[in-house]
Amino acid sequence: MKPIRVLFWDIGGVLLSNAWDHEERSRAAERFHLEKDEFESHHKEAVQTLEEGKISLDEYLDCTVFRQLPSFSRQEFKRYMFSLSQPKTEVLALARVLAERYVMATINNESRELNEYRLREFGLLQIFDLFVSSCYVGIRKPDEKIYRLALDLIQKSPEECCFIDDRAVNIEGAAKVGVRTILMQNLTQLKLDLLGLGVQSPL
């Protein structure tokens, strides 16, 4: 078995909190007094095109939140959306150390505006070499095509790559193309699983 040379990371749920998942949407619906079922229904209709980069965040909000004139501004709502993102500090510290020894890349599903905010705000631009984000490539996990594209872009064999994600369905997609995988549950388990693949760090 070839040694690991590339570490692919999910962002939401691994390096940072989720950006706009069910919990975040629920908090926003409560904060801004949205009708949750209606909001979720419109979200489901728009989320794929949002995360594939086919519509902007403003267009998504037009479809989901601003269908009628609300009592709050668009900027107020977007500021709150962005504020929900928080770092997983210890995992980020581990990633920074590993970046000194390995090629580092992300594979994540996210809208362009939230993705770019998170990359800048939490220093991911200084850690990672490649960003295979759904909003840039027009493909979402767990579609096998996004993992195949990531391998093409990084130009390494699947067995030289490890993908870290917190969702089993995304891990399964990567495994189908031969990438070695870690289903992250917590930091201690992540370190142990990395060590099992020969990936060591001083942390």
Side-chain angles (χ1 to χ4, degrees):
M1 187 72 72
K2 295 180 180 179
I4 297 293
R5 299 185 182 279
V6 181
L7 295 174
F8 286 110
W9 300 70
D10 179 32
I11 296 180
V14 174
L15 297 161
L16 310 177
S17 64
N18 288 314
W20 194 234
D21 208 350
H22 179 76
E23 181 180 343
E24 288 74 30
R25 296 194 305 274
S26 180
R27 290 169 63 184
E30 184 174 346
R31 168 76 175 266
F32 291 95
H33 307 292
L34 305 177
E35 203 289 308
K36 289 186 179 181
D37 290 342
E38 181 181 1
F39 175 46
E40 281 298 309
S41 175
H42 294 311
H43 167 79
K44 288 176 182 177
E45 293 172 357
V47 64
Q48 180 171 343
T49 52
L50 174 70
E51 291 186 348
E52 289 178 352
K54 295 174 181 175
I55 62 173
S56 68
L57 181 58
D58 280 328
E59 289 171 317
Y60 164 83
L61 292 176
D62 287 339
C63 297
T64 56
V65 177
F66 292 91
R67 297 174 67 88
Q68 297 179 347
L69 187 64
S71 60
F72 50 87
S73 72
R74 183 181 300 266
Q75 284 305 112
E76 183 182 359
F77 191 86
K78 288 167 73 172
R79 280 196 301 270
Y80 183 74
M81 287 182 74
F82 285 30
S83 75
L84 295 173
S85 292
Q86 297 296 322
K88 293 185 178 289
T89 307
E90 293 181 323
V91 183
L92 282 172
L94 174 63
R96 287 190 187 93
V97 171
L98 292 172
E100 299 175 4
R101 305 182 183 187
Y102 296 89
V103 177
M104 301 280 279
T106 68
I107 304 177
N108 67 307
N109 294 346
E110 194 55 81
S111 66
R112 179 178 291 268
E113 292 89 337
L114 274 169
N115 191 60
E116 294 182 349
Y117 166 78
R118 284 152 66 87
L119 298 186
R120 293 192 309 270
E121 180 70 14
F122 300 104
L124 301 189
L125 296 172
Q126 287 72 54
I127 299 174
F128 293 93
D129 307 293
L130 176 69
F131 300 91
V132 187
S133 301
S134 63
C135 58
Y136 301 149
V137 302
I139 313 167
R140 295 197 304 166
K141 298 178 300 183
D143 191 325
E144 291 178 33
K145 292 192 290 292
I146 196 169
Y147 307 105
R148 295 189 188 281
L149 176 60
L151 291 171
D152 287 343
L153 292 172
I154 214 71
Q155 284 296 295
K156 293 290 187 291
S157 64
E159 61 267 27
E160 292 177 286
C161 301
C162 175
F163 175 56
I164 303 160
D165 200 292
D166 63 324
R167 298 188 182 186
V169 65
N170 295 331
I171 289 294
E172 290 163 8
K176 286 179 181 177
V177 305
V179 172
R180 296 152 83 178
T181 60
I182 294 175
L183 178 61
M184 180 176 164
Q185 299 169 356
N186 56 63
L187 180 63
T188 300
Q189 167 261 330
L190 173 60
K191 289 180 180 180
L192 288 173
D193 285 357
L194 284 168
L195 187 60
L197 293 175
V199 176
Q200 300 184 26
S201 81
L203 294 184

